[in-house]
């Protein structure tokens, strides 16, 4: 998959450089809405965060997190409608896992909840083939797609554990409980290969520069986890999945 992404990237870049009629430079910033895909159901069934070993009722689910995406790009115009765009972008990805276990202790229901917030920071380099067409006056619509390679440089895990006792009348009370497990900082693979699919709208200013708004979907094809969530009994693989809303500004060189 990495070789295929590299080949497509080199092909698109070569087309852009050799046939460029117009070159634009720009800035783009936005918000990532990230999650994990892959063996998430398997992870949700594993006792990876419970202070009670192999006891009680266990449940867990993943949820999305927000992050920042910001960077710059070069667009090489091939024709009036078609262009190739190369980007270099700082991108925050990750996901959140809420894990709950209930256990009867001394005739009292004890509920333990762990909130694990995984944050991964990447330098993403997508190479996009883009097609644009005028829709009204100075407004133009764009659709684009292409490979993306991410280079991981930091990872972080924030965890929070809360415990409550629940009596027979349904009344809850916070209690102190020693958790037997420590959560290790996640290890991630250094390279993340995926694809970008998206579209947007731009507006051509009187200065011939333009502003734009776009939405993109960026799933990964390679597992990012290298032992932080996976275990020896089951080969659990997780990939990044990101939805981004961004705004930008571009001008011709």
């Amino acid at each position: 998959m990495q070789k295929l992404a590299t080949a497509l990237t080199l092909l698109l870049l070569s087309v852009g450089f050799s046939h460029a009629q117009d070159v634009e430079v720009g800035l783009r910033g936005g918000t990532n809405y990230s999650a994990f895909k892959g063996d998430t159901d398997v992870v949700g069934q594993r006792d990876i965060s419970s202070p009670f070993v192999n006891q009680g009722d266990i449940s867990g689910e993943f949820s999305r997190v927000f992050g920042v995406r910001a960077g710059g790009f070069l667009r090489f115009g091939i024709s009036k409608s078609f262009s190739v765009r190369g980007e270099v972008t700082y991108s925050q990805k990750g996901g959140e896992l809420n894990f709950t276990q209930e256990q009867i202790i001394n005739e009292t229901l004890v509920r333990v909840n762990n909130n694990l917030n995984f944050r991964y920071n990447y330098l993403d380099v997508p190479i996009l083939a883009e097609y644009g067409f005028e829709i009204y006056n100075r407004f133009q619509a764009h659709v684009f797609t292409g490979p993306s390679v991410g280079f991981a440089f930091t990872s972080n895990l924030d965890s929070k554990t809360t415990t409550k006792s629940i009596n027979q009348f349904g009344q809850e009370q916070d209690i102190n409980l020693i958790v037997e497990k420590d959560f290790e900082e996640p290890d991630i693979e250094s390279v993340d290969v995926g694809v970008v699919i998206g579209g947007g709208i731009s507006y051509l200013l009187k200065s011939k520069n333009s502003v734009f708004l776009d939405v993109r979907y960026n799933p990964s094809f390679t597992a990012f986890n290298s032992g932080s969530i996976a275990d020896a009994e089951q080969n659990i693989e997780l990939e990044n999945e990101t939805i981004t809303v961004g705004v930008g500004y571009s001008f011709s060189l």
Side-chain angles (χ1 to χ4, degrees):
M1 185 60 68
Q2 294 185 23
K3 292 181 179 179
L4 177 60
T6 301
L8 289 174
T9 298
L10 292 176
L11 176 61
L12 289 173
L13 281 176
S14 64
V15 170
F17 280 118
S18 61
H19 295 83
Q21 300 177 6
D22 183 36
V23 179
E24 293 182 1
V25 64
L27 298 174
R28 181 184 182 277
T31 301
N32 281 346
Y33 192 41
S34 302
F36 299 146
K37 65 183 182 69
D39 299 330
T40 54
D41 292 338
V42 177
V43 175
Q45 298 167 8
R46 301 294 296 170
D47 181 11
I48 66 172
S49 61
S50 170
F52 307 105
V53 180
N54 298 324
Q55 298 180 23
D57 297 324
I58 305 167
S59 62
E61 63 177 358
F62 283 99
S63 58
R64 292 184 176 271
V65 296
F66 287 98
V68 174
R69 190 181 186 102
F73 63 87
L74 283 174
R75 179 188 286 117
F76 304 94
I78 309 303
S79 66
K80 183 178 179 180
S81 301
F82 182 73
S83 61
V84 174
R85 178 169 53 170
E87 301 181 357
V88 177
T89 304
Y90 165 71
S91 185
Q92 292 180 330
K93 303 177 185 180
E96 188 171 87
L97 173 61
N98 290 294
F99 222 86
T100 301
Q101 182 173 18
E102 294 182 348
Q103 171 73 16
I104 301 295
I105 300 179
N106 296 328
E107 299 182 351
T108 300
L109 177 64
V110 176
R111 179 178 295 151
V112 182
N113 178 262
N114 289 289
N115 176 269
L116 307 182
N117 194 314
F118 299 89
R119 295 285 183 166
Y120 306 127
N121 296 311
Y122 288 89
L123 187 68
D124 280 348
V125 185
I127 304 297
L128 307 175
E130 183 175 35
Y131 180 78
F133 52 95
E134 187 174 321
I135 54 176
Y136 176 74
N137 200 2
R138 294 177 178 268
F139 288 95
Q140 191 174 42
H142 301 268
V143 291
F144 50 84
T145 188
S148 177
V149 180
F151 302 93
F153 55 92
T154 62
S155 61
N156 183 62
L157 169 61
D158 292 326
S159 61
K160 181 180 178 181
T161 300
T162 58
T163 57
K164 295 180 181 293
S165 64
I166 305 172
N167 62 25
Q168 57 183 330
F169 302 107
Q171 297 172 327
E172 295 185 356
Q173 181 179 358
D174 293 335
I175 61 175
N176 294 323
L177 184 68
I178 299 176
V179 178
E180 297 177 0
K181 289 190 177 182
D182 293 325
F183 302 111
E184 299 180 356
E185 290 294 322
D187 295 324
I188 57 175
E189 299 295 338
S190 58
V191 178
D192 184 58
V193 178
V195 68
V196 172
I197 304 170
I201 297 176
S202 64
Y203 179 74
L204 183 64
L205 304 173
K206 291 182 179 180
S207 62
K208 301 302 180 180
N209 300 337
S210 62
V211 294
F212 63 86
L213 167 70
D214 66 25
V215 179
R216 60 180 61 183
Y217 175 57
N218 179 201
S220 296
F221 300 139
T222 55
F224 69 83
N225 58 305
S226 56
S228 57
I229 299 178
D231 58 54
E233 297 178 6
Q234 290 179 277
N235 185 22
I236 299 171
E237 294 187 348
L238 300 176
E239 299 94 37
N240 289 304
E241 181 184 60
T242 306
I243 299 171
T244 306
V245 178
V247 295
Y249 180 85
S250 64
F251 56 92
S252 297
L253 293 180

